[in-house]
Amino acid sequence: MKYEPFHPLIATMIENIEKVIIGKREVTTLSIVALLAGGHVLLEDVPGVGKTMLVRALAKSVNAQFKRIQFTPDLLPSDITGVSVYNPKQMHFEYKPGPIMGNVILADEINRTSPKTQAALLEAMEEGGVTVDGITYPLPQPFFVMATQNPIEYEGTYPLPEAQLDRFLLKVNMGYPSMTEEIEILNRTEKTTPIDQIQPVVTIEQLRSLQQQVKKVYVDEHVKRYIVDLVQRSRSHPAIYLGVSPRGSVALMKAAQAHALVYGRDFVIPDDVQRVASFALPHRIILKPEAKFDGLSAEDVIARIITQTPVPIQR
């Protein structure tokens, strides 16, 4: 299978991940976009559709240190960040790292733990380090979090506040596979576990290089105005109570830069902005109650804004 539009290294990553994740090209690509942009992903979907497998396959493809944190109501912030333990021989406290000290972190069912514990993870995502007993410890680089939450079962959950949702670069859904894809899943898992066959295809050094290349992707002034126009329309839209913040503008630009690099370009085009806006903006807005009563979703409103916003067609 050929991946003509893709950057060569990224094509290799996608091909490797698709040995495990079948029929989810868009979700796979968006996950890589977030990884290259230095952001994080919130995966919202029902259990059993491959969220954990996607994260594991991505981590193995880049030879990254993978850590899984299962969020439960009794999880404490120190269970994530680590603790200081007294060493009687050395007569001082030693830092014992928590599971947050990894390259690719799976935060499984993040909405099942308390807001205090959620905040410990989100602080690490935002600041790039954890503070234990007044000492700040930097996180390994690259550092990438994919958090999952179940949109169906709300009993005993603590939904993420909008201010914390804003820390995720993209919010995506896996969705169910088609019949053909599900049969292929059965065929591949009949005698083996595909994830065990995944081998690294990109080194950590190459991944860091790709992340640096993203920062050099050119964004024309007209494209920046287009990004800001999309965001500002969300602040004045009649169906939206709270629009996208300036952090959302920055996130949309970074995601568009990474999307351009994924497709082998060193400059952003409006198509890049449009394709990532549907995943970078909906979780950053709050709809008015009457809009929800009318059956509108955040995704619907953002899609309308994208359609109604004039696209720059020339420099």
Side-chain angles (χ1 to χ4, degrees), residues 262-310:
V262 164
Y263 282 87
R265 283 180 278 103
D266 60 358
F267 57 93
V268 174
I269 60 176
D271 282 355
D272 294 314
V273 178
Q274 290 181 345
R275 291 180 70 176
V276 296
S278 301
F279 305 94
L281 299 185
H283 64 288
R284 302 176 192 274
I285 66 172
I286 301 177
L287 295 182
K288 291 180 179 178
E290 52 267 34
K292 295 180 181 178
F293 292 148
D294 291 338
L296 288 176
S297 67
E299 289 77 12
D300 294 332
V301 176
I302 291 298
R304 291 182 182 181
I305 291 175
I306 294 172
T307 302
Q308 296 166 358
T309 304

Coordinates of all heavy atoms in Angstrom, one line a residue, residues 262-310:
V262 N 2.7 16.5 7.8 CA 2.2 15.1 7.6 C 2.0 14.8 6.2 O 2.3 13.7 5.7 CB 0.9 14.8 8.5 CG1 0.2 13.5 8.0 CG2 1.3 14.7 9.9
Y263 N 1.5 15.8 5.4 CA 1.2 15.7 4.0 C 2.4 16.2 3.1 O 2.2 16.5 2.0 CB -0.1 16.3 3.6 CG -1.3 15.5 4.1 CD1 -1.8 15.6 5.3 CD2 -1.8 14.5 3.2 CE1 -2.9 14.8 5.7 CE2 -2.9 13.7 3.6 CZ -3.4 13.9 4.9 OH -4.4 13.0 5.3
G264 N 3.6 16.3 3.8 CA 4.8 16.5 3.0 C 5.0 18.0 2.5 O 5.8 18.2 1.6
R265 N 4.3 18.9 3.2 CA 4.5 20.3 2.8 C 5.2 21.1 3.9 O 5.0 20.8 5.1 CB 3.1 21.0 2.5 CG 2.6 20.6 1.1 CD 1.2 21.2 0.8 NE 0.1 20.5 1.5 CZ -0.5 20.8 2.6 NH1 -0.1 21.9 3.2 NH2 -1.5 20.1 3.1
D266 N 5.9 22.2 3.5 CA 6.5 23.1 4.5 C 5.8 24.4 4.6 O 6.3 25.4 5.1 CB 8.0 23.3 4.2 CG 8.2 23.9 2.8 OD1 7.2 24.2 2.1 OD2 9.4 24.2 2.5
F267 N 4.5 24.4 4.2 CA 3.7 25.6 4.3 C 2.2 25.1 4.6 O 1.8 24.1 4.1 CB 3.8 26.5 3.1 CG 3.4 25.8 1.8 CD1 2.1 25.8 1.3 CD2 4.3 25.0 1.1 CE1 1.7 25.1 0.2 CE2 4.0 24.3 -0.1 CZ 2.7 24.4 -0.5
V268 N 1.5 26.0 5.3 CA 0.1 25.7 5.6 C -0.8 26.2 4.5 O -0.7 27.4 4.1 CB -0.3 26.3 7.0 CG1 -1.8 26.1 7.3 CG2 0.6 25.6 8.1
I269 N -1.8 25.5 4.1 CA -2.9 25.9 3.2 C -4.2 25.9 4.0 O -4.3 25.3 5.0 CB -3.0 25.1 1.9 CG1 -3.3 23.6 2.3 CG2 -1.7 25.2 1.1 CD1 -3.5 22.7 1.1
P270 N -5.2 26.6 3.5 CA -6.5 26.7 4.2 C -7.1 25.3 4.4 O -7.8 25.1 5.4 CB -7.4 27.5 3.3 CG -6.4 28.4 2.6 CD -5.2 27.6 2.4
D271 N -6.8 24.3 3.5 CA -7.4 23.0 3.7 C -6.9 22.4 5.0 O -7.6 21.6 5.6 CB -7.0 22.1 2.5 CG -7.8 22.3 1.3 OD1 -8.8 23.1 1.4 OD2 -7.5 21.8 0.2
D272 N -5.6 22.6 5.3 CA -5.0 22.1 6.6 C -5.8 22.6 7.8 O -6.2 21.9 8.7 CB -3.6 22.5 6.7 CG -2.7 21.9 5.7 OD1 -2.8 20.7 5.5 OD2 -1.8 22.7 5.1
V273 N -6.1 23.9 7.7 CA -6.9 24.6 8.8 C -8.3 23.9 8.9 O -8.8 23.6 10.0 CB -7.0 26.1 8.6 CG1 -7.8 26.7 9.7 CG2 -5.6 26.7 8.6
Q274 N -8.9 23.8 7.8 CA -10.3 23.2 7.8 C -10.3 21.8 8.3 O -11.2 21.4 9.1 CB -10.9 23.3 6.4 CG -11.2 24.7 5.9 CD -11.8 24.7 4.5 OE1 -11.7 23.7 3.8 NE2 -12.4 25.9 4.1
R275 N -9.4 21.0 7.9 CA -9.4 19.6 8.3 C -9.1 19.3 9.7 O -9.6 18.4 10.3 CB -8.4 18.8 7.4 CG -8.9 18.7 5.9 CD -7.9 18.0 5.1 NE -7.9 16.5 5.4 CZ -7.2 15.6 4.7 NH1 -6.4 16.0 3.7 NH2 -7.3 14.4 5.0
V276 N -8.3 20.2 10.4 CA -8.1 20.0 11.8 C -9.0 20.8 12.7 O -9.2 20.5 13.9 CB -6.6 20.4 12.2 CG1 -5.7 19.5 11.5 CG2 -6.3 21.9 11.8
A277 N -9.7 21.9 12.1 CA -10.6 22.7 12.9 C -11.7 21.9 13.5 O -12.2 22.2 14.6 CB -11.1 23.8 12.1
S278 N -12.2 20.9 12.8 CA -13.3 20.1 13.2 C -13.0 19.2 14.5 O -13.9 18.7 15.1 CB -13.8 19.1 12.1 OG -14.2 19.8 11.0
F279 N -11.7 19.1 14.7 CA -11.2 18.3 15.9 C -10.5 19.2 16.9 O -10.4 18.8 18.1 CB -10.3 17.2 15.4 CG -10.9 16.3 14.4 CD1 -10.6 16.6 13.0 CD2 -11.7 15.3 14.7 CE1 -11.2 15.8 12.0 CE2 -12.2 14.5 13.7 CZ -12.0 14.7 12.4
A280 N -10.1 20.4 16.6 CA -9.4 21.3 17.5 C -10.3 22.3 18.1 O -10.0 22.9 19.2 CB -8.3 22.0 16.7
L281 N -11.5 22.5 17.6 CA -12.4 23.6 18.1 C -13.6 23.2 18.9 O -14.0 23.9 19.9 CB -12.8 24.6 17.0 CG -11.6 25.3 16.2 CD1 -12.2 26.2 15.2 CD2 -10.7 26.0 17.2
P282 N -14.4 22.1 18.5 CA -15.6 21.8 19.1 C -15.6 21.7 20.7 O -16.5 22.1 21.4 CB -16.1 20.5 18.5 CG -15.5 20.6 17.1 CD -14.1 21.2 17.3
H283 N -14.5 21.1 21.2 CA -14.4 20.9 22.6 C -14.0 22.2 23.4 O -13.9 22.2 24.6 CB -13.5 19.8 23.0 CG -12.0 20.0 22.6 ND1 -11.6 20.0 21.3 CD2 -10.9 20.3 23.3 CE1 -10.3 20.2 21.3 NE2 -9.9 20.4 22.5
R284 N -13.8 23.2 22.6 CA -13.4 24.5 23.3 C -14.6 25.5 23.3 O -14.4 26.7 23.7 CB -12.3 25.2 22.5 CG -11.0 24.3 22.4 CD -9.9 24.9 21.5 NE -8.9 23.9 21.2 CZ -7.9 23.7 21.9 NH1 -7.7 24.4 23.1 NH2 -7.0 22.8 21.6
I285 N -15.8 25.1 22.9 CA -16.9 26.0 23.0 C -18.0 25.4 23.9 O -18.0 24.2 24.2 CB -17.5 26.2 21.6 CG1 -18.1 24.9 21.0 CG2 -16.5 26.8 20.6 CD1 -18.9 25.2 19.7
I286 N -18.9 26.3 24.4 CA -20.0 25.9 25.2 C -21.3 26.4 24.4 O -21.4 27.6 24.1 CB -20.0 26.5 26.6 CG1 -18.7 26.0 27.3 CG2 -21.3 26.0 27.4 CD1 -18.6 26.6 28.7
L287 N -22.2 25.5 24.1 CA -23.4 25.9 23.4 C -24.4 26.4 24.4 O -24.5 26.1 25.6 CB -24.0 24.6 22.7 CG -23.2 24.0 21.6 CD1 -24.0 22.9 21.0 CD2 -22.9 25.0 20.5
K288 N -25.3 27.3 23.9 CA -26.4 27.8 24.7 C -27.4 26.6 24.8 O -27.6 25.8 24.0 CB -27.1 29.0 23.9 CG -26.2 30.2 23.9 CD -26.9 31.3 23.2 CE -26.0 32.6 23.2 NZ -26.7 33.7 22.4
P289 N -28.2 26.7 25.9 CA -29.2 25.6 26.2 C -30.2 25.4 25.0 O -30.5 24.3 24.7 CB -29.9 26.1 27.5 CG -28.9 26.9 28.2 CD -28.1 27.6 27.1
E290 N -30.6 26.6 24.5 CA -31.6 26.5 23.4 C -31.0 25.8 22.1 O -31.8 25.1 21.4 CB -32.1 27.9 23.0 CG -31.1 28.9 22.7 CD -30.7 29.7 23.9 OE1 -30.7 29.2 25.0 OE2 -30.4 30.9 23.7
A291 N -29.7 25.9 21.9 CA -29.1 25.2 20.8 C -29.1 23.7 21.0 O -29.3 22.9 20.1 CB -27.7 25.7 20.6
K292 N -28.8 23.3 22.2 CA -28.9 21.9 22.6 C -30.3 21.3 22.4 O -30.5 20.2 22.0 CB -28.4 21.7 24.0 CG -26.9 22.0 24.2 CD -26.4 21.8 25.6 CE -25.0 22.2 25.8 NZ -24.5 22.0 27.2
F293 N -31.3 22.2 22.8 CA -32.7 21.7 22.7 C -33.1 21.5 21.2 O -33.9 20.7 20.9 CB -33.6 22.7 23.4 CG -33.5 22.8 24.9 CD1 -33.7 24.0 25.5 CD2 -33.2 21.7 25.6 CE1 -33.6 24.0 26.9 CE2 -33.1 21.7 27.0 CZ -33.3 22.9 27.6
D294 N -32.4 22.3 20.4 CA -32.7 22.2 18.9 C -32.0 21.0 18.3 O -32.1 20.8 17.1 CB -32.3 23.5 18.2 CG -33.2 24.6 18.6 OD1 -34.3 24.4 19.0 OD2 -32.8 25.8 18.4
G295 N -31.2 20.3 19.1 CA -30.5 19.1 18.6 C -29.1 19.4 18.0 O -28.5 18.5 17.4
L296 N -28.6 20.6 18.2 CA -27.3 20.9 17.7 C -26.2 20.4 18.6 O -26.3 20.4 19.8 CB -27.2 22.5 17.5 CG -28.0 23.1 16.4 CD1 -27.8 24.6 16.5 CD2 -27.6 22.6 15.0
S297 N -25.1 20.0 18.0 CA -23.9 19.6 18.7 C -22.8 20.6 18.4 O -22.9 21.5 17.5 CB -23.4 18.2 18.3 OG -23.0 18.2 17.0
A298 N -21.8 20.6 19.3 CA -20.6 21.6 19.1 C -20.0 21.3 17.7 O -19.6 22.3 17.0 CB -19.6 21.4 20.2
E299 N -20.0 20.1 17.3 CA -19.4 19.7 16.0 C -20.2 20.3 14.8 O -19.7 20.8 13.8 CB -19.3 18.2 15.8 CG -18.2 17.5 16.7 CD -18.6 17.4 18.1 OE1 -19.8 17.6 18.5 OE2 -17.7 17.1 18.9
D300 N -21.6 20.3 15.0 CA -22.4 20.9 14.0 C -22.2 22.4 13.8 O -22.1 22.9 12.7 CB -23.9 20.6 14.4 CG -24.3 19.2 14.4 OD1 -23.7 18.4 13.6 OD2 -25.2 18.8 15.1
V301 N -22.1 23.1 15.0 CA -21.9 24.5 14.9 C -20.6 24.9 14.3 O -20.5 25.8 13.5 CB -22.1 25.1 16.3 CG1 -21.8 26.6 16.3 CG2 -23.5 24.8 16.9
I302 N -19.5 24.2 14.7 CA -18.2 24.5 14.1 C -18.2 24.2 12.6 O -17.6 25.0 11.9 CB -17.1 23.7 14.9 CG1 -16.9 24.2 16.3 CG2 -15.8 23.8 14.1 CD1 -16.5 25.6 16.4
A303 N -18.9 23.1 12.2 CA -18.9 22.8 10.8 C -19.6 23.9 10.0 O -19.2 24.3 8.9 CB -19.7 21.5 10.6
R304 N -20.7 24.5 10.6 CA -21.4 25.6 10.0 C -20.5 26.9 9.9 O -20.4 27.6 8.9 CB -22.6 26.0 10.7 CG -23.7 24.9 10.6 CD -25.0 25.3 11.4 NE -26.0 24.3 11.4 CZ -27.2 24.4 11.9 NH1 -27.5 25.5 12.5 NH2 -28.1 23.4 11.8
I305 N -19.7 27.1 10.9 CA -18.8 28.3 10.9 C -17.7 28.1 9.8 O -17.4 29.0 9.1 CB -18.1 28.4 12.3 CG1 -19.2 28.9 13.3 CG2 -17.0 29.4 12.3 CD1 -18.7 29.0 14.8
I306 N -17.2 26.9 9.7 CA -16.2 26.6 8.7 C -16.8 26.8 7.3 O -16.2 27.4 6.4 CB -15.7 25.2 8.8 CG1 -14.9 25.0 10.1 CG2 -14.8 24.8 7.6 CD1 -14.5 23.6 10.4
T307 N -18.0 26.4 7.1 CA -18.7 26.6 5.8 C -18.9 28.0 5.5 O -18.8 28.5 4.3 CB -20.0 25.8 5.8 OG1 -19.8 24.4 6.1 CG2 -20.7 25.9 4.4
Q308 N -19.3 28.8 6.5 CA -19.7 30.2 6.3 C -18.5 31.2 6.2 O -18.7 32.3 5.8 CB -20.7 30.6 7.4 CG -22.0 29.8 7.4 CD -22.8 30.0 8.6 OE1 -22.4 30.7 9.5 NE2 -24.0 29.4 8.6
T309 N -17.3 30.7 6.7 CA -16.2 31.7 6.7 C -15.5 31.7 5.4 O -15.1 30.6 4.8 CB -15.2 31.2 7.8 OG1 -15.9 31.1 9.1 CG2 -14.1 32.2 8.0
P310 N -15.3 32.9 4.8 CA -14.6 33.0 3.5 C -13.2 32.4 3.6 O -12.5 32.7 4.6 CB -14.6 34.5 3.2 CG -15.7 35.1 4.1 CD -15.8 34.2 5.3

